[in-house]
Amino acid sequence: MSNDPSRRSRRDRTRHTFSAVTSTTLRLLGDVLVISLWVLFLTLLFLETGWPRWTFYGLLLVGVGLYVAVTPSWTRDW
């Protein structure tokens, strides 16, 4: 009974699901950390220098856009 293909398949599926959930959670936490640090850096910089608000939002969008462009996509081709 331990060599039953359906049990092995279920175990592999469970392991794959756990791995996918773990990697997605770590990826999400990493993304939140990087974006939060970028926002914090820009906020402190602009509070210190007094530059215009439109420049802050422009740099915020450019920074997030570049981060999205250089990081790999969330979907994988299996």
Side-chain angles (χ1 to χ4, degrees):
M1 288 281 183
S2 64
N3 291 333
D4 186 13
S6 64
R7 284 184 184 219
R8 187 174 297 152
S9 175
R10 236 181 316 185
R11 200 173 329 140
D12 290 343
R13 215 178 5 222
T14 302
R15 186 176 298 141
H16 176 70
T17 301
F18 180 73
S19 174
V21 168
T22 303
S23 67
T24 300
T25 302
L26 290 174
R27 172 82 189 266
L28 182 61
L29 289 174
D31 289 346
V32 167
L33 178 66
V34 169
I35 298 299
S36 297
L37 289 174
W38 178 244
V39 171
L40 178 65
F41 170 74
L42 284 179
T43 302
L44 294 175
L45 178 69
F46 276 76
L47 285 174
E48 183 67 29
T49 60
W51 291 341
R53 187 177 291 178
W54 63 268
T55 311
F56 170 82
Y57 289 112
L59 285 175
L60 183 66
L61 289 173
V62 167
V64 172
L66 284 173
Y67 178 74
V68 169
V70 299
T71 55
S73 67
W74 279 74
T75 57
R76 293 183 183 161
D77 295 331
W78 297 100

